[in-house]
């Protein structure tokens, strides 16, 4: 029996990764004035820097901006101009100020699920930025609870479920990231609805799911499929 449905925020409820991709393309163009982009492996170096800095800066545009500045200084051997460092800071600000655009049909999907089950929003990233996106999305009223967390791992989901006094097998998580939204919940014994986004940050592509995990999750290609997927998982959980 299912008793709680969780939804991710970025790239599940609203568009997000596209803005980060645009910022990274602009970052490469700026750094490309100093180095050969192919030889410098700019994107690989940037990803390695971001991963190394996650424990310090967390997820989100602010950590990305600091990592862009650090990467640019390293790749250019400290030769990058102050004006271009300022341009990198402005890139970060542009991501923080991007409009919140809902995925088509997601409001209707969340509302339909919320008519049958309590729903909770569980999203990770910078607190101020995520709060702003939740407010501008117009979806806050649909959720009984909103959790903005620094990381999505089994410990985080275990804490949230403990506060709801629910065992994992009564919980479904809906999200675009196998690594953050689906795998941790399945590892606890819960269920997942995976809705892939058309682009995914490379860090989120790493996961440990295998064929045996498929029986506890369903994949949909658009918000319109979420309600039916939750109903199918509910039937599995009941039986």
């Amino acid at each position: 029996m299912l008793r709680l449905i969780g939804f991710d925020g970025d790239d599940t409820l609203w568009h997000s990764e596209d803005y980060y991709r645009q910022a990274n393309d602009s970052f490469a163009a700026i750094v490309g004035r100093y180095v050969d982009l192919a030889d410098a492996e700019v994107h690989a170096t940037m990803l390695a820097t971001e991963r190394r800095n996650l424990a310090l800066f967390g997820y989100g545009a602010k950590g990305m901006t600091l990592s862009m500045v650090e990467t640019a200084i390293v790749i250019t051997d400290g030769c990058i101009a102050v004006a271009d460092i300022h341009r990198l800071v402005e890139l970060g600000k542009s991501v923080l100020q991007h409009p919140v655009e809902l995925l088509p049909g997601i409001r209707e999907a969340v509302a339909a699920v919320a008519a049958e089950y309590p729903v909770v929003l569980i999203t990770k990233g910078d607190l101020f930025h995520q709060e702003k996106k939740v407010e501008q999305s117009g979806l806050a009223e649909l959720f009984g609870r909103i959790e903005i967390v620094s990381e999505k791992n089994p410990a985080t989901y275990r804490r949230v479920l403990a506060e709801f006094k629910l065992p994992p097998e009564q919980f479904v998580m809906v999200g675009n990231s196998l690594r953050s939204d689906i795998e941790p919940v399945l590892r606890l014994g819960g269920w997942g609805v995976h809705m892939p986004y058309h682009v995914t940050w490379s860090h989120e592509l790493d996961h440990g799911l295998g064929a045996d995990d498929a029986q506890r999750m369903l994949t949909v290609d658009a918000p319109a499929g979420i309600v039916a997927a939750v109903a199918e998982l509910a039937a599995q959980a009941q039986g």
Side-chain angles (χ1 to χ4, degrees):
M1 177 179 181
L2 299 183
R3 294 179 57 194
L4 181 68
I5 313 299
F7 282 85
D8 170 51
D10 291 343
D11 299 322
T12 298
L13 301 182
W14 50 72
H15 297 283
S16 177
E17 181 62 21
D18 304 87
Y19 299 103
Y20 286 87
R21 290 293 178 98
Q22 292 167 14
N24 272 283
D25 289 344
S26 298
F27 163 74
I30 292 171
V31 174
R33 301 169 188 169
Y34 300 88
V35 298
D36 184 306
L37 295 180
D39 290 343
E41 297 184 340
V42 170
H43 291 298
T45 304
M46 175 65 182
L47 178 60
T49 304
E50 286 185 293
R51 282 176 165 165
R52 189 170 60 249
N53 287 337
L54 280 175
L56 292 173
F57 304 144
Y59 294 89
K62 294 175 185 175
M64 179 198 70
T65 304
L66 291 169
S67 292
M68 285 196 300
V69 170
E70 180 182 345
T71 302
I73 292 171
V74 170
I75 286 179
T76 65
D77 291 326
C79 293
I80 187 169
V82 172
D84 282 330
I85 290 179
H86 184 257
R87 290 186 180 94
L88 297 179
V89 173
E90 290 301 312
L91 284 178
K93 288 182 179 180
S94 72
V95 175
L96 288 168
Q97 296 168 342
H98 72 72
V100 175
E101 181 185 359
L102 297 180
L103 271 65
I106 195 63
R107 170 179 280 279
E108 293 79 5
V110 175
V113 174
E116 299 292 331
Y117 301 95
V119 293
V120 56
L121 172 57
I122 307 175
T123 185
K124 71 179 179 183
D126 177 78
L127 177 62
F128 291 166
H129 194 199
Q130 293 301 103
E131 285 181 335
K132 178 182 177 182
K133 286 191 281 189
V134 170
E135 178 182 1
Q136 293 182 351
S137 74
L139 298 177
E141 64 187 29
L142 297 176
F143 294 97
R145 182 163 174 170
I146 295 170
E147 287 276 343
I148 300 173
V149 300
S150 59
E151 184 59 275
K152 285 181 174 178
N153 53 29
T156 295
Y157 289 106
R158 189 181 296 112
R159 174 185 61 78
V160 172
L161 292 173
E163 292 175 3
F164 277 94
K165 296 181 172 58
L166 285 181
E169 57 268 25
Q170 295 181 345
F171 175 66
V172 174
M173 184 66 187
V174 181
N176 70 293
S177 172
L178 290 173
R179 175 192 178 101
S180 295
D181 302 319
I182 307 301
E183 181 176 6
V185 174
L186 266 57
R187 292 288 172 261
L188 293 175
W191 307 82
V193 175
H194 180 222
M195 186 174 70
Y197 193 64
H198 68 98
V199 290
T200 303
W201 183 31
S202 297
H203 177 73
E204 292 293 334
L205 294 175
D206 297 333
H207 63 83
L209 292 174
D212 292 342
D213 296 302
Q215 60 186 341
R216 299 193 68 83
M217 61 172 280
L218 294 172
T219 299
V220 299
D221 58 10
I226 293 175
V227 175
V230 170
E232 184 173 340
L233 292 177
Q236 291 185 41
Q238 190 76 21

